[in-house]
Amino acid sequence: MKKKILLVDDEPNNLQLLRQILRASYQLIFAHNGQSALAAVAAHHPDLILLDVMMPDLDGYEVCRRLKADPLTHDIPVIFVTAMGDVDDEAAGFDVGAVDYIHKPVSPAIVIRRVQTHLSLVHVKELEDSQREAIYMLGAAGHYNDNDTGLHVWRMAAYARALAEAFGWPEHLAERLELAAPLHDTGKIGIPDGILKAPRKLTAEEWVTMRQHSLIGYEILQCSHTPIFKMAAEIALYHHEKWDGSGYPKGLAGDNIPQSAQIVAIADVFDALTMKRSYKEAWSVEASLEDMRANSGTHFNPALLTIFLNILPKILNIKKEWDEKD
Ligand code: C2E
Ligand code: SIN
Ligand code: SIN
Ligand code: FE
């Protein structure tokens, strides 16, 4: 399907020229002034707008400002087409939310290239949005039960990111971890409700089943080879390993446990202890930290736990934000 482009100019010759440049590759809609541009956007939902700046009545800036203020039209990229080469005017255009400028008289090669560039940026953003949403849905599914929509997995993800940053991870990896961490318990999808929601301690037999959630999550997530899901699969598999080698499923010890999983172990346990679960009440922050300190070097990487305690004010801010949302 051809992408739709809205061309707005009060000068018919200019519209005609743009039409000749773009008609072969795109579906075109035309407007001769600001008011009809707004009406055309509402009626046709174009993928991109080429907008003249100087028009009588409603000028291009005002049209752009109104489009950006409306959530329905906010994401449509606007490129200004202008005779003015003045830097101040260009700054004004970016201020109201334009993504780019094309100068008159327009060159066909430049028009085609700019239009292609901004349409493909929209495509990338859509892919990123769907990836984020898929993560959100999968993460929520892993934590779903009657009175809990799983929203809170993003709280422990924020803890994990803060800890990764303080640990010295580069920004792009800390960001990746924040997206991967909510998937750590995806494998709980495969655990029967009778075990998952048991309001009591699990029997030895039930516990064997419960521990399978690491492996099940790994099996589900390793199907993808994108960096986020690869990290998520690694975290799902190893987030219950312990520093002294007494964890599951593999009994890895120390730095044989991937750093991503070492970080998530701390974020996950802090979250589990401070929140209510079917089988336990919420513990106070003090009691939770005391328990975690007692497990430094046995359950947790001691250096990492020290960093976690050092950034506690930041962690508690994240917790407070989420407690207000819940
Ligand atoms: P979860 O509730 O998300 O807990 C994650 C981790 O937080 C646990 O991993 C454990 O390391 C820590 N944690 C949670 N509650 C406590 C606690 O009361 N005391 C201490 N010291 N640590 C706690 P773990 O043990 O591998 O458990 C994995 C998952 O298994 C839990 O995830 C939960 O879904 C389930 N589970 C664990 N114990 C029980 C239980 O007694 N009853 C039920 N119904 N489920 C349990
Ligand atoms: C597995 O054994 O299922 C995963 C292999 C690994 O990453 O250690
Ligand atoms: C890192 O590059 O520091 C993270 C690698 C890992 O997942 O352990
Ligand atoms: Fe888990």
Side-chain angles (χ1 to χ4, degrees), residues 229-247:
F229 284 105
K230 274 170 81 164
M231 187 186 272
E234 166 183 281
I235 290 169
L237 187 60
Y238 297 123
H239 71 283
H240 289 299
E241 299 290 358
K242 296 187 177 179
W243 190 250
D244 66 2
S246 68

Side-chain angles (χ1 to χ4, degrees), residues 215 218-219 237-238 250:
L215 226 47
Y218 172 80
E219 293 294 338
L237 187 60
Y238 297 123
K250 310 241 180 197

Side-chain angles (χ1 to χ4, degrees), residues 54-234:
M54 298 299 284
M55 293 183 293
D57 302 326
L58 220 51
D59 69 10
Y61 295 135
E62 185 54 28
V63 170
C64 189
R65 204 175 284 122
R66 291 194 196 179
L67 292 172
K68 293 299 153 185
D70 181 345
L72 287 177
T73 56
H74 176 269
D75 288 335
I76 305 172
V78 173
I79 299 175
F80 277 132
V81 185
T82 174
M84 307 174 295
D86 195 300
V87 175
D88 280 349
D89 291 323
E90 302 199 347
F94 291 127
D95 283 347
V96 296
V99 291
D100 214 342
Y101 262 94
I102 298 175
H103 295 127
K104 294 179 193 171
V106 300
S107 125
I110 287 180
V111 171
I112 289 167
R113 173 44 60 104
R114 296 276 166 83
V115 163
Q116 280 175 349
T117 298
H118 289 288
L119 286 174
S120 71
L121 287 175
V122 169
H123 184 64
V124 167
K125 184 176 180 302
E126 278 170 6
L127 284 178
E128 284 173 359
D129 285 352
S130 9
Q131 192 176 39
R132 196 176 293 270
E133 283 161 15
I135 289 166
Y136 183 88
M137 291 184 278
L138 206 48
H143 284 250
Y144 200 83
N145 67 41
D146 290 342
N147 49 11
D148 170 6
T149 56
L151 235 181
H152 61 78
V153 291
W154 295 95
R155 177 182 46 221
M156 68 73 64
Y159 295 155
R161 180 190 181 142
L163 184 52
E165 282 171 354
F167 197 34
W169 276 32
E171 186 66 17
H172 75 281
L173 285 181
E175 219 168 82
R176 185 180 299 164
L177 180 69
E178 185 171 26
L179 292 170
L183 301 176
H184 70 281
D185 270 342
T186 296
K188 283 184 178 173
I189 288 170
I191 306 300
D193 269 13
I195 295 177
L196 207 52
K197 295 180 198 167
R200 55 170 168 79
K201 276 199 88 61
L202 300 178
T203 66
E205 197 183 333
E206 286 171 332
W207 186 237
V208 172
T209 303
M210 186 66 225
R211 284 159 48 135
Q212 293 297 311
H213 81 277
S214 300
L215 226 47
I216 297 169
Y218 172 80
E219 293 294 338
I220 293 171
L221 295 164
Q222 58 87 234
C223 298
S224 164
H225 294 284
T226 65
I228 291 174
F229 284 105
K230 274 170 81 164
M231 187 186 272
E234 166 183 281

